[in-house]
Structure formats: C-alpha cells, structure tokens
Amino acid sequence: MKTIPVDRAELVRLMKLSFSFASRAVTYIKYLLGGKLRMGSDPPSANAVDCSGYVRWLIYGATHGQTLMPDGSWYQQEWCKSQGFKRTDYGHCILHDSRLRIAFINPRAGKVGHVWVIINGQTIESYGGHGAGRRAWDTPALINNVSACYVLTDVLT
Amino acid sequence: MKRLRIAVDGSDQAVRVLRHMVLQAITPLIDPCLLMGAGIAIGEIVTNAWVHGDGRNPDKQIELCLRIQPDSLIVQVYDYGPGFDPCSLPEPVPGQEHGYGVYVTRQSVRSLKYYRTEGRFCAQLVINRKEKNA
C-alpha cells in the first residue's frame, strides 16, 4: 500500500507554528473558507486558512516538499483514492500507533466538506469557529459525519 | 521610545486576549511579512509563562511590556514561576512534542533571553520591525 514519508519532528514543528500546544484557546492561524497558505512558507504565509489549505501545507512541509496534494477537500479525497492509500475504518483513529491518517466529510446540501489528519487519537486540522488546532478524534462533529478515512504513513518514529 | 504595559489574570481566554491585544498594537509597527513570526513568538512566551511559570493559576498575573524602538520591538513577559535555564532545555526529540516552543520562538525573532528580576521571571523578545534585506 502507498504511504508518504512524513518527518514526525517536522510535523510537530509545523503544528507549533500553527497553534499553541499549551493553550487550546491560542491559535496562530484562524479558519477562513478559501484561505490558503503558500507551500513551504515558514512561518506560514497567512494567518487564516481553510481545512484543505492547512492539510496541504502541513503535508507538503512535513514531507520536505515531496508530497503536494491538490487543493480542496473533495479533490484531496479523490487524490487519496487514486494514489492507492489504504482505506480504513475511521474507528482505527483511536489507535495510538503513531500512524498518520486522513479523513473526510463529503460536502452536503448547504455545507462544505472537511478534511483533517489524525495521529494517536488527536486530530490536526483547521476548523470553523477556531482555526488550526487539535481535537479528540471522536469529536461528534467529526465522527458522526465522516465519509472516508485513509492511512497516510507507516509508523512515524 | 513608547511603552505599552498590559497585565491579565491567568486563564486560557485571558492569555488569548493578551496575545490578540499585543498583535493589534504591533500590526502597524512592523513589516507585514514579519507579523506571523512575531505572533507565534509572542503566543509561545505568553502561553509558556501561563503554563510553566504560573502553573495555570488564575490568581497569578501575567504582565507584558512592549517597548517600541526605531528598528525593533522589545516584548517582555513576566510570570511568578521559578524560571529555568534555557541552556538546560533539551533539543526537540522526534516522537516527543516538548521543547519546540523555545525552538520556534528563537527562529522567529532577533533574540530571546530569560532573566530574573524583582522576584519575577522574565522572557524578553527582540523583534525586528523591518526585514533585514529590505
């Protein structure tokens, strides 16, 4: 199965450039539908981004520029299918197995889709009303609406 | 030289508001391309003061002092914690999520130093107002 070479230390550093680990209330990047970050920008090129723009920036940086996903959560889901990542049950996101997974909510009537990544039971995402941050994998707004989930990496060390 | 001094009680929301107020104050004072890094650095030292310095104690104040100089901004954040020796901080280790705050702060500003003064612990940032090669 396809995987991508995520550098865990770089992933953590990029998260740290996006929000405070110490305070859930403090985020450095707000949520903005249509907001994008320049790939490879460090620090981030804007202070507001949408879900797909954040995941795209994060994965690009954490793979040292080796993985450029398309923009838009629907296109990212199609990309995951076409790349051959292993599709998995979203319930596996509870595992503390140091694998990075990606999950999607399909667009519905009047509502945009969503994309986020998960590692060790915690999400990494940019979400409405907050911005970049982390939530429990089983946050109701996610687990009740998730449409697909894929394994992106082997065990990260 | 102009000064701004703000003190807040220790809470999640107060820390967020403190950072927001300082960002509002410095936005017209520095190059836009430096603002993101400044915001990250200020966020990290403010939340570190609250969490590691004051132990999330709502009865302990966090005070921030901003001094505006021609080519730089000096941000001092005071807490009532025991402080620490920055040289003793371990390098960030893959697989762990600790130690990155000081690391990314140093990357984002001209200088970062810590010292003790009048019974309090101070983290001082010096932030460039203009890009070096501008």
Side-chain angles (χ1 to χ4, degrees):
Chain A
M1 285 290 174
K2 164 98 176 185
T3 57
I4 54 173
V6 166
D7 177 339
R8 186 171 185 173
E10 187 62 7
L11 176 69
V12 174
R13 194 183 71 81
L14 294 173
M15 286 160 54
K16 197 76 185 174
L17 292 174
S18 317
F19 53 88
S20 166
F21 291 2
S23 169
R24 283 184 183 270
V26 177
T27 181
Y28 308 141
I29 304 179
K30 296 175 207 158
Y31 179 82
L32 175 67
L33 183 59
K36 302 300 172 192
L37 302 175
R38 199 171 61 246
M39 291 303 101
S41 58
D42 181 357
S45 59
N47 66 355
V49 69
D50 64 15
C51 58
S52 62
Y54 183 63
V55 166
R56 189 175 188 235
W57 173 81
L58 198 65
I59 295 298
Y60 182 86
T63 59
H64 299 285
Q66 292 183 53
T67 306
L68 181 59
M69 304 170 74
D71 191 21
S73 62
W74 188 85
Y75 292 104
Q76 289 174 349
Q77 187 172 176
E78 291 299 307
W79 178 82
C80 284
K81 283 182 203 168
S82 67
Q83 290 288 308
F85 293 107
K86 182 184 176 185
R87 187 162 177 165
T88 185
D89 190 290
Y90 186 66
H92 290 173
C93 293
I94 195 175
L95 298 173
H96 286 235
D97 60 0
S98 294
R99 283 190 168 87
L100 194 68
R101 294 175 172 84
I102 188 168
F104 300 92
I105 294 173
N106 287 331
R108 293 156 290 163
K111 290 189 175 180
V112 296
H114 187 47
V115 56
W116 65 103
V117 294
I118 311 99
I119 185 167
N120 294 339
Q122 290 279 311
T123 71
I124 311 167
E125 58 181 318
S126 177
Y127 57 99
H130 182 81
R134 304 195 77 176
R135 296 189 280 187
W137 74 280
D138 58 351
T139 297
L142 302 176
I143 197 169
N144 293 338
N145 296 295
V146 63
S147 50
C149 182
Y150 296 85
V151 181
L152 284 181
T153 70
D154 290 323
V155 174
L156 301 182
T157 54
Chain B
M1 186 172 68
K2 295 178 180 173
R3 288 169 182 262
L4 171 71
R5 190 177 289 269
I6 312 170
V8 297
D9 294 334
S11 76
D12 222 16
Q13 290 304 320
V15 163
R16 185 179 66 81
V17 169
L18 175 61
R19 175 179 173 274
H20 180 72
M21 290 171 70
V22 176
L23 274 184
Q24 292 289 310
I26 70 171
T27 295
L29 301 175
I30 69 174
D31 274 354
C33 60
L34 298 175
L35 192 60
M36 191 72 199
I40 291 167
I42 292 167
E44 287 304 308
I45 61 166
V46 167
T47 53
N48 278 349
W50 175 53
V51 173
H52 302 299
D54 290 348
R56 300 178 195 260
N57 185 339
D59 297 327
K60 290 185 176 175
Q61 279 197 330
I62 297 165
E63 185 178 321
L64 185 147
C65 179
L66 169 67
R67 284 187 286 154
I68 303 163
Q69 298 194 316
D71 68 338
S72 64
L73 302 173
I74 299 175
V75 178
Q76 294 161 311
V77 176
Y78 298 89
D79 65 61
Y80 289 91
F84 64 96
D85 174 9
C87 298
S88 69
L89 277 183
E91 285 288 308
V93 177
Q96 294 187 354
E97 295 188 356
H98 304 292
Y100 284 86
V102 171
Y103 180 69
V104 299
T105 301
R106 284 194 200 284
Q107 284 187 321
S108 304
V109 297
R110 185 196 296 178
S111 72
L112 166 66
K113 71 175 182 179
Y114 295 93
Y115 57 91
R116 180 158 282 286
T117 177
E118 297 173 354
R120 295 187 298 175
F121 188 63
C122 178
Q124 177 177 290
L125 299 175
V126 180
I127 300 168
N128 287 331
R129 293 182 62 180
K130 290 186 174 11
E131 266 200 299
K132 283 177 194 166
N133 54 1

